[in-house]
Amino acid sequence: MSRRILLVNGPNLNLLGSREPDVYGTATLADVEDLTRAAAAEVGFDVRAIQSNHEGVLIDAIHAAREDCAAIVINPGGLTHTSVSLRDALTGVALPFAEVHISDVYAREEFRHHSYLHDVATVRVIGEGVEGYASAVRQLAALIP
């Protein structure tokens, strides 16, 4: 089995560090990727990272993960609340995955309370800031033999 985790960041997460720092903090996407790689290395995994503002690109990356990844960590951004296709891709590849949200989506607008991934995610990390990515990696790694 591969010792790789696919890190998926959805729409607008390329703006981390400058987009609503009062909600998302000042860490950049590069910081998130570095933090995730460091946490993965601590538990014997490497990371392949992708960010896209295009749903199909994310779905293609998830499909490709079947070939060489043991798990997926995903922050789907706004697609959390809208994308059945993303849910179908994640369930279709049958890899354990962690749904991560930097902010506490339940303390925000009502529409953010619904997640199409909620009931199929192996791990959910909500509102822990960017440190939530490291937490997700550790929790997933503990489940993988």
Side-chain angles (χ1 to χ4, degrees):
M1 177 183 282
S2 174
R3 300 296 289 177
R4 177 174 295 127
I5 294 171
L6 176 65
L7 171 63
V8 178
N9 278 290
N12 300 311
L13 288 160
N14 57 306
L15 299 178
L16 284 176
S18 62
R19 175 188 176 209
E20 300 176 80
D22 54 318
V23 175
Y24 300 105
T26 57
T28 66
L29 180 60
D31 295 333
V32 165
E33 291 175 357
D34 290 346
L35 172 81
T36 305
R37 282 189 175 94
E42 290 173 8
V43 291
F45 285 84
D46 69 328
V47 171
R48 179 172 62 238
I50 182 168
Q51 185 282 324
S52 182
N53 296 316
H54 305 281
E55 185 175 18
V57 172
L58 301 176
I59 290 169
D60 288 344
I62 290 165
H63 289 178
R66 291 178 301 174
E67 304 301 320
D68 65 350
C69 293
I72 298 171
V73 171
I74 182 169
N75 182 339
L79 294 174
T80 304
H81 323 293
T82 63
S83 183
V84 173
S85 297
L86 193 61
R87 174 194 171 101
D88 288 348
L90 287 160
T91 59
V93 299
L95 293 172
F97 76 91
E99 176 185 3
V100 175
H101 297 285
I102 295 168
S103 68
D104 179 357
V105 293
Y106 298 109
R108 299 182 64 194
E109 304 94 335
E110 182 71 28
F111 73 87
R112 295 186 194 276
H113 299 187
H114 173 73
S115 166
Y116 277 102
L117 306 183
H118 174 86
D119 64 322
V120 292
T122 308
V123 170
R124 297 187 77 234
V125 180
I126 313 270
E128 293 184 16
V130 297
E131 287 297 325
Y133 287 87
S135 176
V137 165
R138 290 183 197 105
Q139 289 181 59
L140 278 175
L143 300 173
I144 298 169

